[in-house]
């Protein structure tokens, strides 16, 4: 088969440059990439994901669904997680708007809190294995089908919790816990007065 230069050819070029279609025999003749489209499609499907991407800071309209984002590879100390639920926290709106002290390099995938199932692990990860249910509070972008996180910020997710409940274990849970502790302290102080 052959694809003329265009959006599909650009995606194929990105995949070739990233090393994902190395088993393909590719030649270029007069602006046409010749390859086996069935092999390329199978390879492309397993190497790209959907993700919300931000290419410029601004209002919520800058959040764009992309279907051609390369699935990240875990580093030596990282876990690759197939995301089942992502937490949405106020700080992410400040970052997206460009109104936070430390801003990510554009483009980026928002989101820090995620739950899901371990897809693969880096060579130095010993506490998790493929198939484990986990949650993380500091990942590479939770608004995606896959994300990576350092093993030190990944925790087992109890079977008693749903993925949606697990996505609220980080920022929302800590915020509620601190508020309750402060309320408890305030109540004890008022009772003593």
């Amino acid at each position: 088969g052959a694809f003329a230069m265009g959006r599909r050819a650009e995606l194929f070029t990105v995949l070739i440059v990233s090393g994902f279609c190395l088993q393909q025999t590719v030649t270029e003749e007069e602006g046409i990439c010749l390859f086996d489209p069935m092999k390329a499609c199978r390879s492309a499907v397993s190497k790209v994901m959907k993700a919300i991407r931000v290419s410029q800071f601004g209002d919520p309209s800058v959040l764009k669904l992309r279907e051609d984002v390369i699935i990240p590879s875990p580093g030596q100390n990282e876990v690759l997680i197939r995301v089942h639920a992502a937490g949405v926290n106020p700080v992410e709106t400040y970052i997206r708007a460009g109104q936070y002290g430390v801003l990510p390099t554009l483009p980026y995938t928002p989101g820090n809190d995620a739950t899901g199932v371990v897809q693969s692990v880096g060579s130095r990860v010993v506490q998790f294995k493929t198939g484990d249910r986990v949650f993380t509070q500091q990942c590479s972008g939770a608004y995606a089908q896959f994300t990576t996180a350092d093993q030190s910020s990944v925790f087992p997710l109890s079977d008693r919790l749903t993925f949606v409940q697990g996505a609220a274990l980080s920022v929302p849970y800590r915020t509620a816990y601190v508020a309750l502790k402060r309320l408890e302290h305030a109540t004890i102080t008022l009772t003593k007065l």
Side-chain angles (χ1 to χ4, degrees):
F3 286 152
M5 296 303 265
R7 186 168 184 267
R8 291 182 188 176
E10 289 171 14
L11 175 61
F12 182 71
T13 302
V14 169
L15 292 171
I16 289 295
V17 169
S18 299
F20 291 114
C21 295
L22 294 179
Q23 72 268 35
Q24 273 28 278
T25 302
V26 178
T27 60
E28 288 192 25
E29 295 175 4
E30 301 177 63
I32 297 175
C33 293
L34 301 172
F35 62 99
D36 177 351
M38 293 312 292
K39 271 187 168 178
C41 289
R42 282 192 301 273
S43 180
V45 167
S46 65
K47 301 299 182 188
V48 295
M49 65 179 178
K50 293 179 184 177
I52 301 294
R53 299 288 284 171
V54 175
S55 296
Q56 66 183 48
F57 297 112
D59 65 26
S61 68
V62 302
L63 297 166
K64 303 292 184 191
L65 176 63
R66 300 287 308 266
E67 297 186 17
D68 60 351
V69 178
I70 303 296
I71 296 174
S73 296
Q76 291 180 337
N77 294 310
E78 291 183 324
V79 176
L80 176 65
I81 302 166
R82 178 183 290 274
V83 176
H84 285 250
V88 179
N89 302 305
V91 70
E92 289 149 12
T93 62
Y94 307 141
I95 295 169
R96 183 218 356 105
Q99 300 174 352
Y100 195 70
V102 179
L103 296 174
T105 303
L106 296 171
Y108 77 99
T109 301
N112 292 314
D113 299 344
T115 59
V117 175
V118 174
Q119 187 76 16
S120 65
V121 298
S123 61
R124 293 188 180 167
V125 175
V126 294
Q127 63 195 63
F128 298 103
K129 65 184 180 319
T130 300
D132 286 349
R133 289 170 38 98
V134 296
F135 73 95
T136 182
Q137 57 192 10
Q138 292 182 334
C139 59
S140 64
Y143 299 5
Q145 290 179 307
F146 295 90
T147 189
T148 55
D150 188 275
Q151 66 179 333
S152 65
S153 67
V154 177
F155 306 93
L157 179 65
S158 169
D159 289 335
R160 294 182 298 168
L161 295 176
T162 67
F163 287 113
V164 172
Q165 291 168 329
L169 285 176
S170 185
V171 173
Y173 171 80
R174 280 192 313 230
T175 302
Y177 179 80
V178 169
L180 289 171
K181 285 307 228 179
R182 287 184 181 169
L183 179 63
E184 176 187 50
H185 178 69
T187 303
I188 292 169
T189 303
L190 286 174
T191 303
K192 288 182 181 178
L193 293 176

